[in-house]
Amino acid sequence: MTKTNQMWGGRFDKAPTELMLEINSSLSVDKRLYRQDITGSIAHAKMLAKQGILSIDESQKIIDGLKIVLNEIEGNNFEFKQELEDIHMAIESRLKELIGDVGGKLHTARSRNDQVATDFKIFVREECQKDILLLKELRKQLKTKAKEHIKTIMPGFTHLQVAQPVSFGFYLHAYYEMFGRDIKRFENAFDVMDECPLGSAALAGTTFDADRFFTAKELGFKQPTKNAMDSVSDRDFVLEYLSIASICSMHISRLAEELVIFSSQPFSFVKIPQEYTSGSSIMPQKCNPDACELLRAKSGRVFGGLISFLTTMKGLPLAYSKDMQEDKECLFNVCDTLSLSLKVLSEIISGIEACPQNMLNALEKGFPTATDLADWLVKKANIPFRDAHHITGKIVKFAEQHNMRLMDVPLKEMQSVCPKITQDVYNVLNVEASMNARNSYGGTAPEQVKARLNED
């Protein structure tokens, strides 16, 4: 190859090798940003005309040409040439083919450095909005299912051991709250990203009389970024998205893990929609929770994107370095993974079936009302909680040794441990009474769960 790159080849006598093209080109990845790039370029062309840097006719010719390029790409009639490195140069090259030398004027008062930062920030902001909508749909399904099961009793676990009676609705509401925080994180990230880098040029701004407030407004940003060097060096918005996506994926994975456990035969608390399970090639009876297992696994892919790009950015000096080109592939992968995961989880929650009797049966073991006994001793017998805890522990030990439920321990055996215990203690040892008694704000009592679900 003897031909240098037409966009910046004036400095060079030799063309890049095939290997250099392979490692340097990002076009196969960042062509996904074609729409954002064209949108940004149209805004830039309008600004150049507004400021008299280009004539109105030149600006309009550029805008019309960019719209032709957009139609070509969306109609699959666009040739992506690897030697043009990235989507920005590919579009500009085609623009010049369409409208001649005036196409080369589009790049006045900007650099690829601020151009790519702008395109990518627009993309990430759009992804935040998409994920917010997907999370809202997931929460809608969780709320609907939770309202159906406000009084469906199940074990609440700590250390995966039976702890206290709760409702299945209360359990689902816990995840409803988790995903609500994810929405707030994406909303906050969107606001933090509300500054436009376009016009920062290579790193120091431009000598042209550019109106960066105009382009920021055209592109839906609140204002332009305040420091050109920071503008082209910044990929915090990518890292923030990856961070939030990682937290959200962790929440998805936790719920998926519990659905795998709760749908297994030892538990049989829920039935996962058959459409999201699969069979075995050798065992005819199997109905495996494959979708949930994949949701659990895909969190690793998302976490990997965050760690990968944090590692890329950690040692970069200001301003732009080509290392930053590695931001797109990992982020695109994370965006696609998170979007798919949220869609699948919403469908699973929508179709999941609870098995109330199995949930209730699981409360026969584990002494789930032990805390209620300790609380009764505090309230009715005026015993300090630490002493009540000790007394309850002895009664639990007796029940365990005699293979009986706490509510089946004879009164005389309880009184042998604590004479202050009376017959009405049995009123608090019923699992339904235990659940209903937890009527503090945020508790599992049905009226509390109902009230919290109705707040949003």
Side-chain angles (χ1 to χ4, degrees), residues 44 107-117 198-203 232:
H44 188 65
H107 210 53
T108 307
R110 76 175 184 185
S111 162
R112 270 194 301 172
N113 294 357
D114 62 325
Q115 184 181 359
V116 65
L198 191 58
S200 298
L203 78 161
V232 300

Side-chain angles (χ1 to χ4, degrees), residues 223-289:
Q223 62 188 28
T225 50
K226 298 178 179 68
N227 181 284
M229 182 175 287
D230 174 57
S231 301
V232 300
S233 308
D234 171 39
R235 290 299 183 272
D236 288 0
F237 61 95
V238 179
L239 290 168
E240 187 159 17
Y241 179 91
L242 293 171
S243 299
I244 299 167
S246 294
I247 295 172
C248 184
S249 293
M250 177 268 292
H251 292 156
I252 292 170
S253 182
R254 292 184 73 180
L255 179 49
E257 163 71 356
E258 289 189 316
L259 293 178
V260 170
I261 293 171
F262 290 165
S263 64
S264 66
Q265 284 82 1
F267 284 83
S268 296
F269 286 0
V270 298
K271 293 180 181 178
I272 293 172
Q274 198 172 75
E275 306 93 307
Y276 288 94
T277 63
S278 67
S280 164
S281 63
I282 189 173
M283 295 172 285
Q285 82 280 14
K286 296 300 290 295
C287 190
N288 300 320

Side-chain angles (χ1 to χ4, degrees), residues 1 14 90 98 152 176 246 254 284 365 375 384:
M1 182 182 292
K14 294 182 179 181
L98 289 169
T152 301
Y176 179 85
S246 294
R254 292 184 73 180
K365 296 181 179 180
D375 288 347

